[in-house]
Amino acid sequence: MRRLFYIVRQTAYTLFSFCYFIFLAIDMTVRGFFLITVCGATEEHKKKYHRILQKKARFVINHVPGTTFKYDNPHGESFGQPSLIISNHQSHLDLMAIMMLTPNLIILTKNWVWHNPFYGIVIRYADFFPISDTEQMVKKITDKVKEGYSVMIFPEGTRSEDCHIQRFHRGAFYLAEKIGLDIVPVFIDGFGEVLPKKSFHLHPGEMSLEVLPRIRRQDVSSEVDYRVMTKQMRGIYIGKRNEKMRNHR
């Protein structure tokens, strides 16, 4: 009986969350149409759209049924200075967690996300870029950085099935070196248990997001190129993952 109750409850949570997500996508599409398409794609309107998106994302992450969320920013990162934000990748929920960090954010997504029939229009209104050829995107991203936006990318490129830290791709760190951006690492935990990669069913659990210390470009030795940085950063994430696993035992 307890098992049946659990299945019914989690199914209800999942259906409610899915319906809310669809409503949110429609809401942000309509807002984008009137605010940006009708009223004009000005910098002021774009900034306003991003602020609304941040508030919506914060609400969603803090109200996933059957879960708790903890935000930890021990070093007081304000995200006021543009940077390259990176994060490990566990779940579809990760994107919402990242969007709540700052309204001045451009996220690099996969092509299928950019063309998604449910929220692809929202992604495009927010000026998120599809990852096709990183070098060709440098100028567009540089222009957004000059407007005060940070850039976010998942170095793993895809979600992990068991939440382990996968191989980091070099594109993110190439961008940081090419544009001269600081790096702000963000570590997420528990998202892969709440909504695993191959599941559309929500599970109860604890989610957390920790903002790690900013790595300033001027503090990185000129001898350390983006290839070396890729390996070093993956090592930091592996260490954080192992620490979390020890604490959960």
Side-chain angles (χ1 to χ4, degrees):
M1 182 61 70
R2 293 180 61 185
R3 177 63 179 171
L4 178 61
F5 174 76
Y6 172 83
I7 293 174
V8 171
R9 184 191 65 185
Q10 293 308 125
T11 300
Y13 283 169
T14 302
L15 289 174
F16 171 80
S17 298
F18 178 75
C19 290
Y20 182 82
F21 180 77
I22 295 300
F23 169 78
L24 177 63
I26 294 172
D27 177 45
M28 290 307 299
T29 299
V30 173
R31 287 175 185 265
F33 175 76
F34 285 102
L35 185 63
I36 297 174
T37 301
V38 175
C39 296
T42 64
E43 184 176 347
E44 179 185 355
H45 292 161
K46 288 283 189 178
K47 294 279 189 179
K48 183 176 181 179
Y49 189 77
H50 276 258
R51 288 194 296 270
I52 296 171
L53 200 57
Q54 180 196 25
K55 290 178 181 178
K56 297 285 186 180
R58 183 186 295 124
F59 179 86
V60 168
I61 289 300
N62 282 284
H63 293 85
V64 177
T67 71
T68 60
F69 174 71
K70 179 183 178 182
Y71 175 68
D72 192 13
N73 187 5
H75 305 280
E77 176 59 53
S78 66
F79 299 98
Q81 180 182 351
S83 62
L84 175 77
I85 300 172
I86 62 172
S87 173
N88 54 316
H89 202 4
Q90 297 184 349
S91 166
H92 277 306
L93 293 170
D94 300 350
L95 202 61
M96 284 287 182
I98 297 300
M99 286 193 295
M100 63 174 282
L101 293 175
T102 172
N104 300 323
L105 184 65
I106 299 297
I107 300 178
L108 302 188
T109 70
K110 287 188 173 182
N111 285 321
W112 72 264
V113 175
W114 208 72
H115 294 288
N116 186 280
F118 294 114
Y119 51 83
I121 297 177
V122 177
I123 296 296
R124 295 194 287 276
Y125 272 135
D127 284 337
F128 293 175
F129 297 135
I131 299 175
S132 51
D133 188 329
T134 305
E135 188 144 9
Q136 289 183 1
M137 290 190 300
V138 170
K139 184 181 184 307
K140 291 181 179 179
I141 294 172
T142 301
D143 289 342
K144 299 305 292 186
V145 168
K146 289 178 180 177
E147 294 175 13
Y149 287 92
S150 290
V151 182
M152 190 276 157
I153 190 169
F154 295 105
E156 293 169 286
T158 186
R159 290 164 289 147
S160 171
E161 289 187 25
D162 58 2
C163 299
H164 80 280
I165 305 300
Q166 304 176 100
R167 180 177 71 89
F168 276 19
H169 297 281
R170 298 173 180 175
F173 307 97
Y174 168 81
L175 277 176
E177 184 179 85
K178 190 77 173 178
I179 303 175
L181 290 173
D182 296 345
I183 296 176
V184 177
V186 171
F187 181 80
I188 61 173
D189 186 56
F191 288 79
E193 283 80 24
V194 169
L195 186 60
K197 181 175 181 178
K198 291 187 176 181
S199 174
F200 291 98
H201 199 277
L202 284 175
H203 301 269
E206 299 176 358
M207 303 181 294
S208 65
L209 184 152
E210 181 181 355
V211 182
L212 305 182
R214 177 182 285 251
I215 301 172
R216 300 194 178 276
R217 190 63 208 169
Q218 60 267 31
D219 295 337
V220 178
S221 170
S222 59
E223 298 177 359
V224 177
D225 65 10
Y226 67 92
R227 298 175 182 84
V228 176
M229 181 64 75
T230 301
K231 295 179 180 179
Q232 292 178 345
M233 290 307 305
R234 182 172 183 264
I236 291 175
Y237 276 84
I238 290 174
K240 288 296 298 183
R241 176 62 183 163
N242 291 339
E243 176 187 334
K244 289 288 185 179
M245 290 177 69
R246 287 195 298 269
N247 292 339
H248 288 168
R249 288 174 184 170

